[in-house]
Amino acid sequence: MITQDAEKVAPVRPAPVAEEPPRRPGKVRRAWDEVPRRHIYLPLSIYLVFTLVPFYWILLFALRKPGSTSLVPWPMTFEHFEKVWNERSFGVYFQNSVLVGVVTLLMTTLVALAGGYALARFDFKIKRGFMLALLCSQFVPGALLLVPLFQIFAELRMINSLGSVILAETVFQLPLSIILISNFIKNVPYSLEEAAWVDGCNRFTAFRVVVLPLLRPGLIAVGSFAFVHSWNHFLFALMFLSNQDKQTIPVGLNTLLSADSVDLGALAAGGIIAAVPVVIVFAFIQKWLITGFSAGAVKG
Amino acid sequence: MAQAAAVAKPPAPPRRSRARSRARRTSATPRRLPYLLIAPAALLMLGFIAYPVISVFYYSLQHYNPTKPWRNGFAGFDNFVHAFTEDPIFWDTLVFSAKWVIVEVSLQLLFGLALALIVNQTFVGRSLGRALVFSPWAVSGVLTSAIWVLLYNSQTGITRYLADMGIGEYGTSWLSDTSTVFSAAIVADLWRGVPFFAILILADLQSISKDLYEAAEVDGASRVRQFLHITLPHLKDAIILSTLLRAVWEFNNVDLLYTLTGGGPAGETTTLPLYIANTSVDAHNFGYASALTTVAFVILLFCSMVYLRLSKFGGESK
């Protein structure tokens, strides 16, 4: 048995070893890092076209004159934007969305920071149960809980106030955020905190001075996630807010979409207004997001 | 992927016990502190997730319809019986949900993995390329619908220009034709779903040590074998979990189909959750919607368990 195995392996192994000497020293690393260009650029370009054509299309409709069928948005016009911002009250929606996004971001990050710290640094009785609850809550669909949530917010007299949307968005962001943050905290060596205690810090200052700065990429990833989600999410706002001046941008877009005759120019302009903040946030944090995720998710 | 991966691997015991003894010595209220810290999160989740879930179970056994108050009251299993025996729409939505989730998730996994492998290479313009191909991730739900409604528009959309080139016919709307609406919705959802999958896989790809590939290279392993024997096994857990969570998410997600097709034409693209939303929000039939929700929960739980069992997740740890 064993000899047979050895025979099977034998012809494979010696060959490359024999080939090794003529190789240039740098070759080993380059062989993996540099896949032939055509294997990268061709599929990437195809995928880029698929990604960018829809973006171009919305830009085209937002910028060209009504009735034009040109594929170039020229002569350019901003009348769609003015119309959507003023007549369709996207200006108001925008303010509401910013408020919801920023407060959700702050609440999610703060509450998740506390919870994540507890999970990362302590051992306590209900820890396993709490983590199980976090995991299970991932399976709870927000859309299916609309009715009970509506009743709760009606009880709390929060229907038609942005507070209801902020609360609901925060709660549905929390499980993922807590798990991510606790993983980021686990990656910060505990000895750093202990050293700070020895130097006379209490637990809270030690955390603020030593751990918090190291958590920055993680916090950015979690916070941006919360912001983008609450900015984009639409069902809670649609259900809990009925006054027009309380609505958020996705609801405004839905109104444009479900109108009897869709005003394509207005829809495109509204879409761009909806996209700009998240695209800016995204471009800014893109690099941290991937490092943040790999640190938070994988090495945990 | 992220959250469950974390849960699957509990923190190393030695550190924990050290943390505990330290905490006892240094902090004034070490016993209560962790509970205080998780209290806000726990209370929020109890009030706005756990309680609603329980009340959905409760309502599923009730006739509850504000527009027909004379019928309200205990219903036993009437709602469930009605769903399984008298409601053909329910079965249609189940079939469509399954079709939607399977096609959508497998395509996302395939393209997401390919995309992640591509942008993981070093090449000129990589960060710009990454930013561009990942950008639809930030754009979701309603905005995706808005963009694709523009693209699919029968008069001014992409069909017009394709028709000019001799492909297809001018004036057809892919979203209102029962033969094309499924593919059209799938493509729109892929547009924003693939980047998300790719980001998660890329994050995991970057944690694979380069040494492994160098060793494999020295041993003369081809790139295909390196992929099969190093990359794939390493990504296995991440793929299993992201696929599962993605499937749950695609099943539950209402935003896109609600605004893109509204479930139409002729109920052709109504998923179970969309049907539930319509039943509760438009028809005010809260009792029946709650029963359907309960069915959806059971299906989700069952499928997740079967999936985890079949994929032997956590069976062999790395």
Side-chain angles (χ1 to χ4, degrees):
Chain A
M1 233 4 219
I2 295 166
T3 45
Q4 244 183 351
D5 271 356
E7 268 170 16
K8 256 190 221 159
V9 176
V12 185
R13 282 228 164 135
V17 174
E19 261 175 40
E20 190 77 86
R23 279 190 183 175
R24 280 176 291 130
K27 178 111 193 237
V28 167
R29 207 179 60 83
R30 281 182 48 203
W32 175 257
D33 277 355
E34 295 183 12
V35 174
R37 298 274 175 225
R38 64 177 186 283
H39 290 173
I40 295 175
Y41 288 118
L42 185 69
L44 191 66
S45 329
I46 295 171
Y47 197 80
L48 263 180
V49 170
F50 174 58
T51 304
L52 295 182
V53 162
F55 280 127
Y56 181 74
W57 213 255
I58 194 171
L59 212 61
L60 182 70
F61 274 79
L63 291 176
R64 73 184 179 188
K65 286 221 178 293
S68 156
T69 53
S70 148
L71 274 178
V72 192
W74 198 263
M76 212 185 262
T77 171
F78 287 99
E79 60 182 281
H80 296 303
F81 286 97
E82 282 168 33
K83 193 172 149 199
V84 162
W85 191 264
N86 297 321
E87 286 170 36
R88 304 286 194 157
S89 40
F90 264 59
V92 181
Y93 300 157
F94 193 87
Q95 283 176 12
N96 293 338
S97 276
V98 169
L99 190 67
V100 168
V102 170
V103 179
T104 303
L105 182 160
L106 291 177
M107 279 178 53
T108 307
T109 318
L110 264 181
V111 176
L113 202 55
Y117 186 79
L119 285 185
R121 293 292 198 238
F122 294 100
D123 193 15
F124 50 99
K125 257 189 202 152
I126 57 164
K127 181 168 168 171
R128 279 191 70 89
F130 185 61
M131 291 187 73
L132 195 69
L134 293 180
L135 185 65
C136 287
S137 62
Q138 289 299 305
F139 289 81
V140 177
L144 310 191
L145 298 182
L146 279 176
V147 172
L149 282 177
F150 187 89
Q151 288 174 329
I152 293 173
F153 287 125
E155 266 322 284
L156 297 173
R157 301 194 181 283
M158 283 173 76
I159 293 297
N160 248 333
S161 84
L162 289 176
S164 60
V165 179
I166 291 172
L167 257 180
E169 299 290 354
T170 303
V171 171
F172 279 87
Q173 282 306 304
L174 268 181
L176 175 70
S177 309
I178 293 178
I179 293 168
L180 279 177
I181 286 189
S182 89
N183 284 334
F184 289 124
I185 295 178
K186 277 181 209 152
N187 283 349
V188 177
Y190 200 52
S191 51
L192 286 181
E193 267 178 89
E194 292 175 319
W197 301 342
V198 173
D199 289 345
C201 289
N202 65 29
R203 206 170 244 284
F204 181 73
T205 19
F207 177 77
R208 194 171 49 98
V209 176
V210 178
V211 184
L212 210 50
L214 293 172
L215 279 183
R216 214 171 64 164
L219 289 180
I220 289 172
V222 169
S224 62
F225 226 66
F227 179 83
V228 168
H229 265 264
S230 61
W231 181 273
N232 283 328
H233 196 236
F234 130 97
L235 221 48
F236 291 153
L238 181 74
M239 290 301 300
F240 304 151
L241 308 170
S242 50
N243 279 15
Q244 235 222 332
D245 60 335
K246 291 280 168 51
Q247 293 294 9
T248 56
I249 285 210
V251 184
L253 268 183
N254 179 53
T255 319
L256 291 182
L257 266 171
S258 52
D260 285 334
S261 59
V262 183
D263 180 349
L264 297 174
L267 184 64
I272 287 175
I273 293 171
V276 164
V278 280
V279 168
I280 290 174
V281 167
F282 179 73
F284 179 65
I285 52 129
Q286 195 253 130
K287 209 172 131 189
W288 277 331
L289 200 69
I290 293 164
T291 44
F293 263 128
S294 54
V298 184
K299 287 167 203 152
Chain B
M1 171 212 102
Q3 54 273 50
V7 176
K9 288 177 242 159
R15 173 191 276 180
R16 221 194 290 162
S17 59
R18 200 177 72 200
R20 192 173 187 171
S21 59
R22 263 299 177 174
R24 213 168 263 159
R25 255 180 288 153
T26 47
S27 184
T29 53
R31 269 165 178 284
R32 257 183 290 159
L33 185 59
Y35 294 101
L36 277 176
L37 287 174
I38 65 163
L43 287 178
L44 283 174
M45 284 170 59
L46 274 179
F48 297 99
I49 298 181
Y51 171 73
V53 167
I54 292 167
S55 62
V56 161
F57 292 152
Y58 171 74
Y59 286 132
S60 70
L61 300 175
Q62 305 277 324
H63 287 298
Y64 179 35
N65 186 341
T67 60
K68 293 177 190 161
W70 60 90
R71 270 195 80 204
N72 291 356
F74 185 68
F77 290 100
D78 283 5
N79 289 322
F80 294 96
V81 172
H82 177 72
F84 283 104
T85 58
E86 294 160 25
D87 188 357
I89 302 176
F90 167 73
W91 290 106
D92 288 348
T93 60
L94 265 189
V95 172
F96 177 71
S97 292
K99 218 168 87 174
W100 174 258
V101 169
I102 292 169
V103 173
E104 190 58 49
V105 172
S106 47
L107 288 179
Q108 279 181 21
L109 175 62
L110 208 68
F111 290 128
L113 183 61
L115 188 61
L117 287 171
I118 290 171
V119 295
N120 194 37
Q121 306 296 331
T122 39
F123 57 92
V124 181
R126 178 169 79 165
S127 38
L128 181 67
R130 273 188 190 176
L132 289 178
V133 292
F134 287 164
S135 50
W137 166 78
V139 175
S140 50
V142 193
L143 183 49
T144 309
S145 301
I147 291 176
W148 287 87
V149 162
L150 290 174
L151 265 168
Y152 289 148
N153 184 277
S154 57
Q155 299 303 314
T156 52
I158 205 106
T159 39
R160 180 198 188 102
Y161 299 94
L162 285 179
D164 285 351
M165 290 188 284
I167 311 165
E169 46 188 298
Y170 171 67
T172 54
S173 172
W174 292 341
L175 286 176
S176 48
D177 188 335
T178 46
S179 62
T180 48
V181 66
F182 182 70
S183 328
I186 287 279
V187 170
D189 198 33
L190 277 182
W191 181 74
R192 63 153 180 182
V194 169
F196 188 77
F197 233 116
I199 288 174
L200 290 180
I201 293 176
L202 178 65
D204 210 32
L205 269 181
Q206 297 201 323
S207 71
I208 305 179
S209 163
K210 280 265 187 315
D211 300 349
L212 289 174
Y213 294 110
E214 286 176 20
E217 197 76 34
V218 170
D219 285 349
S222 69
R223 195 161 286 125
V224 175
R225 289 193 56 174
Q226 291 178 21
F227 175 73
L228 288 178
H229 295 285
I230 303 175
T231 313
L232 267 190
H234 187 96
L235 291 178
K236 191 185 148 209
D237 283 2
I239 288 177
I240 290 172
L241 278 157
S242 51
T243 308
L244 175 63
L245 289 168
R246 206 61 198 165
V248 171
W249 198 85
E250 286 293 349
F251 177 80
N252 286 335
N253 178 37
V254 173
D255 283 21
L256 181 97
L257 287 173
Y258 183 92
T259 49
L260 189 66
T261 66
E268 197 71 13
T269 55
T270 307
T271 58
L272 181 55
L274 196 50
Y275 182 47
I276 293 169
N278 289 336
T279 310
S280 61
V281 176
D282 299 340
H284 299 288
N285 198 345
F286 295 150
Y288 190 49
S290 299
L292 294 177
T293 306
T294 310
V295 174
F297 273 136
V298 174
I299 293 173
L300 274 186
L301 269 182
F302 179 75
C303 292
S304 317
M305 271 156 53
V306 168
Y307 178 76
L308 287 181
R309 180 61 60 84
L310 284 180
S311 60
K312 296 204 178 63
F313 178 72
E316 327 130 37
S317 51
K318 282 181 261 182

